[in-house]
Amino acid sequence: PMSTTTLTRLTVTGTRPWMDPRLVEFDECRIGHPKLTVLQHDIEMNLASCPRNWVLLVFGPSGGGKSTLREAIERDLRNQMIPELYADPDRLALVSLEAQAPENGIFSWRQHFINTLDITGEPLIDLRKDRKESTHQQMIPVRASDLSRRSVAAYQRSVEKAIAGRRPLAVFIDEAQNTCKVGSGRALLD
């Protein structure tokens, strides 16, 4: 016997003036499955109650609704945080990005950290660096030729500082499996 399920229609708003409004409505329409609605509620409750620096993984088959679920959670979190965001314009509700699939088979942490800094609105991402030798942290300009030599660890520190300063409730990384792509097994040992 087939079970009947009530589906809820979710609409994601956006503007695309070059498209026929009916196509835009069709393209932006999402059907919410009751199990995804329950999962969304569970994830939001976990995000509200979990300690800082915890990792919460959401995984499932391709086309299972993970990205749509993330978008719905992002929308809810932003709406819940409106008063806080008005009171503190430097704060972010969340940081959300996609881990880009590597072109050469090896994930680029450097580019991932640069993308994260860009999303957090970090000003002058590539035009400054830490001066370690000073007693207090000072930023100094760098030449474009120095950018390729900036270490991944330096970008990671910048991301950590940006996240600490912007205080998002969560950092979402869509397609996170791409971060595990390495060129060889030797890279896992390094």
Side-chain angles (χ1 to χ4, degrees):
M2 289 179 63
S3 65
T4 58
T5 322
T6 306
L7 298 177
T8 308
R9 183 173 179 215
L10 305 172
T11 304
V12 180
T13 58
T15 6
R16 295 185 213 151
W18 62 90
M19 287 180 69
D20 181 310
R22 294 173 298 171
L23 290 175
V24 172
E25 182 181 358
F26 178 77
D27 189 45
E28 294 177 347
C29 178
R30 304 288 187 265
I31 303 298
H33 191 280
K35 288 186 178 182
L36 282 178
T37 304
V38 170
L39 183 59
Q40 177 181 346
H41 175 73
D42 290 348
I43 290 172
E44 288 175 0
M45 295 304 293
N46 279 314
L47 286 174
S49 64
C50 73
R52 288 175 44 102
N53 302 326
W54 275 48
V55 176
L56 177 65
L57 299 175
V58 177
F59 55 92
S62 209
K66 298 176 299 295
S67 294
T68 303
L69 178 66
R70 176 187 49 83
E71 291 167 3
I73 292 169
E74 288 175 9
R75 185 181 56 250
D76 286 355
L77 289 177
R78 282 191 181 101
N79 288 338
Q80 291 169 14
M81 288 193 65
I82 287 174
E84 290 176 59
L85 297 175
Y86 275 119
D88 184 2
D90 288 336
R91 182 150 193 207
L92 290 176
L94 53 99
V95 173
S96 181
L97 71 152
E98 181 178 322
Q100 299 295 316
E103 292 179 12
N104 62 357
I106 302 170
F107 183 74
S108 172
W109 282 102
R110 179 187 316 268
Q111 190 58 49
H112 179 73
F113 291 141
I114 290 170
N115 293 345
T116 305
L117 289 169
D118 186 38
I119 287 170
T120 61
E122 182 64 20
L124 305 173
I125 295 168
D126 289 330
L127 299 177
R128 54 192 208 161
K129 67 178 180 180
D130 295 342
R131 177 183 284 171
K132 289 186 177 182
E133 54 274 359
S134 67
T135 55
H136 63 296
Q137 188 154 16
Q138 182 180 3
M139 303 310 278
I140 59 172
V142 294
R143 294 184 308 276
S145 61
D146 292 339
L147 297 177
S148 62
R149 291 191 293 245
R150 186 169 185 199
S151 72
V152 174
Y155 279 114
Q156 180 180 356
R157 279 192 304 278
S158 295
V159 166
E160 290 168 355
K161 290 175 187 175
I163 297 295
R166 305 287 281 188
R167 300 178 329 279
L169 288 179
V171 176
F172 292 108
I173 303 175
D174 202 0
E175 302 296 332
Q177 76 277 3
N178 289 329
T179 64
C180 300
K181 294 185 179 175
V182 295
S184 70
R186 171 128 177 98
L188 296 173
L189 297 174
D190 292 342

